[in-house]
Amino acid sequence: MEIITPNPKTSGGARWNYLAAWAFVLKRELGDLSKLGDAGYAADIARAETKAREFVTELFLRVPVLDSGARSSTNTFVQRGIGDVLLAWENEAFLAAEELGPDKFDIVVPSISIRAEPPVTLVDRWADAHGVREVAEAYLEFLYSPIGQRLAAKHYYRPVYPEHADPEDLRRFPDVELVSVDEVFGGWQEAQRLHFADGGIFDRIYAQ
């Protein structure tokens, strides 16, 4: 079986895929992710981390093409017909089903996944230097406004404030246990250092 996922060295979406797979195994092995960081479970955690590395290694051994980004991987799977399984953003899966028709492939929901929350921010120096502060602030406020949240759900993104979304749009999203990078990996800086920095776990996995 061939799996399509982008390269975690170049793609943010690929890092979410990688960490979601790692967290899945930790949950399977430990049962309760609150054990992470508890010295009383050190041996269990070490075994679970070993299992997670084995699982992720096996996953990447099955990847025939490491595209640079999530959109490229979706095109490889959908348009080029390469691979049996695509690991993708949830909204990308919905969009592919809309584009090709729901009878062309199945969307499989994992028992556990990771809460993807790409940050948005206003960079003061840039906004002031280019005279766009007012527009930038308006955009950020709009994202979390009732209309912005309604549009997010319409376009296959899980809204932060689901009470503002159309109930019909919300029904498309399956129930799934979501964990965060902070609670499982100690935050993005630690995840980057341990897994994705040069010489990190992913580099050692890919060397195989």
Side-chain angles (χ1 to χ4, degrees):
M1 180 175 288
E2 292 185 336
I3 299 169
I4 302 299
T5 185
N7 187 344
K9 299 289 283 188
T10 59
S11 166
R15 290 179 183 142
W16 293 108
N17 290 348
Y18 173 110
L19 295 178
W22 197 283
F24 161 77
V25 179
L26 295 183
K27 170 73 173 181
R28 185 188 68 189
E29 296 298 318
L30 295 172
D32 182 0
L33 290 175
S34 67
K35 294 177 181 178
L36 292 171
D38 187 330
Y41 294 99
D44 292 337
I45 293 168
R47 281 192 294 270
E49 294 282 359
T50 298
K51 291 287 188 180
R53 178 167 175 162
E54 291 171 355
F55 181 85
V56 173
T57 298
E58 175 66 18
L59 188 157
F60 278 95
L61 284 171
R62 295 175 179 271
V63 178
V65 180
L66 269 183
D67 289 303
S68 61
R71 170 53 62 176
S72 298
S73 280
T74 300
N75 290 339
T76 293
F77 183 75
V78 172
Q79 296 178 5
R80 297 172 62 197
I82 297 175
D84 303 296
V85 176
L86 169 68
L87 300 182
W89 298 101
E90 185 173 49
N91 72 298
E92 290 276 352
F94 281 127
L95 287 170
E98 183 180 84
E99 179 183 337
L100 296 177
D103 59 323
K104 297 300 183 183
F105 57 85
D106 297 318
I107 296 178
V108 178
V109 181
S111 60
I112 183 174
S113 191
I114 202 154
R115 183 180 295 106
E117 297 178 306
V120 291
T121 189
L122 187 151
V123 181
D124 292 307
R125 185 179 299 175
W126 175 271
D128 292 337
H130 293 82
V132 295
R133 172 176 288 276
E134 185 177 350
V135 174
E137 288 179 345
Y139 173 73
L140 288 180
E141 290 170 4
F142 177 78
L143 285 177
Y144 299 99
S145 70
I147 295 176
Q149 291 291 285
R150 187 179 182 89
L151 285 172
K154 179 181 178 181
H155 293 285
Y156 307 117
Y157 293 95
R158 291 182 184 241
V160 177
Y161 302 112
E163 62 271 21
H164 298 313
D166 186 324
E168 199 63 33
D169 291 334
L170 289 179
R171 275 193 279 274
R172 295 184 302 208
F173 299 111
D175 290 333
V176 59
E177 180 182 355
L178 297 174
V179 298
S180 73
V181 172
D182 287 347
E183 66 183 305
V184 179
F185 299 97
W188 267 110
Q189 286 190 336
E190 181 63 13
Q192 174 68 26
R193 182 193 67 78
L194 187 62
H195 291 275
F196 308 121
D198 290 346
I201 293 175
F202 176 73
D203 278 357
R204 298 197 294 275
I205 285 174
Y206 197 62
Q208 299 181 38

